[in-house]
Amino acid sequence: MKRLFSILAITGMMAFGTVNATTNANTSTVATTVASITQEPEETAAPAEDLGFHQELKKRFIEGGPGFMGIVLLCLILGLAIAIERIIFLNLSTTNTKKLTQEIEDALASGGVEAAKEVCRNTKGPIASIYYQGLDRTDEGLEAVEKAVVAYGGVQMGQLEKNVSWVSLFIALAPMLGFLGTVIGMIQAFDKIEAAGDMQPSLVAGGIKVALLTTVFGLVVAMILQVFYNYIIAKIDSIVNDMEDASITLMDLLIRNRK
């Protein structure tokens, strides 16, 4: 539930920031229009300055229309919220495996299994949890320890991969929505040609430009989320490898301490 609240909070902040950015863009546009009206004829004839990257991006977003562009933006916001939550969770789940293993080995040598379990209880992360589950079944034999470690490792892997599929969904959905907006825009452009009965570039140029903007923004959203997705997958693979190595190390420690 806490993770759900954190995702909603991040989404709300991103949405609020987007609304403010759009409002500021509209305000700047109105102010520029008023200023151009009040200028002298000589000043009006001066060439307009090139827009910056952010201003150009806002302009293109508004030109794309609120329909599909808003849905694509929603995919970006939700995808980023889930990706950031996963990145924070994975970073908190990362453990110094060598240090933890050494502490458990020292605890086994000095205080036995209970001391080693206490070390695991005071350490966060899936590796410490796997160690604890294995140590908790040392009285049942090494075979029971191995089964517990394997089973609980699968549980921890599921927690690491939680909600990652939603990010991949938004990666696939954003360009698809962009292509859909482009197709609909092209249909509307051809409807205008049919209604006018004449092929005039000025008649459909604006509609085609708006239609293509949805595809551009859909692809940009997919590329941004793909970077976060690849980082998350790489982080999960790294933690899983540490978990597998820690499982083997735990079995070796228990075998050495039994002799």
Side-chain angles (χ1 to χ4, degrees):
M1 185 63 69
K2 292 181 179 179
R3 294 176 188 166
L4 178 60
F5 286 149
S6 64
I7 292 175
L8 293 177
I10 294 172
T11 305
M13 288 188 291
M14 288 183 176
F16 181 73
T18 304
V19 171
N20 285 339
T22 306
T23 305
N24 292 335
N26 294 335
T27 305
S28 300
T29 304
V30 173
T32 304
T33 305
V34 173
S36 63
I37 294 174
T38 57
Q39 284 177 346
E40 296 296 329
E42 294 80 2
E43 296 177 353
T44 305
E49 295 182 358
D50 294 335
L51 295 176
F53 175 75
H54 295 290
Q55 288 78 10
E56 184 69 23
L57 187 64
K58 294 173 186 176
K59 175 186 173 184
R60 297 299 182 184
F61 182 85
I62 295 172
E63 288 179 351
F68 283 96
M69 298 294 279
I71 300 175
V72 173
L73 179 62
L74 183 62
C75 290
L76 176 62
I77 293 173
L78 293 177
L80 284 178
I82 296 174
I84 292 172
E85 187 272 335
R86 282 292 88 192
I87 290 173
I88 294 173
F89 177 81
L90 293 174
N91 286 327
L92 292 177
S93 300
T94 303
T95 307
N96 189 340
T97 309
K98 293 182 179 180
K99 181 180 177 182
L100 177 61
T101 303
Q102 186 62 45
E103 290 178 354
I104 291 176
E105 186 175 5
D106 295 341
L108 285 172
S110 60
V113 175
E114 290 301 323
K117 288 167 64 176
E118 185 64 26
V119 172
C120 296
R121 277 193 290 264
N122 295 330
T123 306
K124 295 182 180 179
I127 296 177
S129 300
I130 290 174
Y131 274 151
Y132 182 86
Q133 294 297 323
L135 292 170
D136 196 39
R137 288 167 175 79
T138 52
D139 296 337
E140 302 175 15
L142 293 178
E143 185 177 353
V145 172
E146 184 177 1
K147 290 182 179 179
V149 167
V150 172
Y152 202 71
V155 173
Q156 291 296 319
M157 188 182 301
Q159 293 182 359
L160 294 175
E161 296 176 347
K162 185 178 179 181
N163 294 328
V164 176
S165 59
W166 287 103
V167 181
S168 62
L169 171 65
F170 293 131
I171 292 173
L173 191 61
M176 291 171 63
L177 288 171
F179 291 140
L180 179 61
T182 298
V183 172
I184 292 177
M186 296 294 288
I187 292 173
Q188 294 174 350
F190 282 109
D191 286 340
K192 292 180 180 179
I193 295 174
E194 183 181 8
D198 187 14
M199 182 62 181
Q200 298 179 2
S202 60
L203 187 64
V204 296
I208 294 176
K209 182 184 73 172
V210 170
L212 293 176
L213 284 173
T214 59
T215 298
V216 172
F217 273 84
L219 293 173
V220 170
V221 168
M223 288 187 290
I224 293 173
L225 294 180
Q226 187 68 52
V227 173
F228 284 91
Y229 179 78
N230 286 359
Y231 174 81
I232 291 171
I233 294 299
K235 193 71 174 177
I236 291 175
D237 290 341
S238 175
I239 295 175
V240 170
N241 289 334
D242 289 341
M243 288 165 54
E244 293 176 352
D245 184 61
S247 301
I248 298 172
T249 304
L250 176 63
M251 298 301 298
D252 293 338
L253 288 176
L254 293 177
I255 291 173
R256 286 203 301 266
N257 281 274
R258 277 200 165 195
K259 292 181 179 180

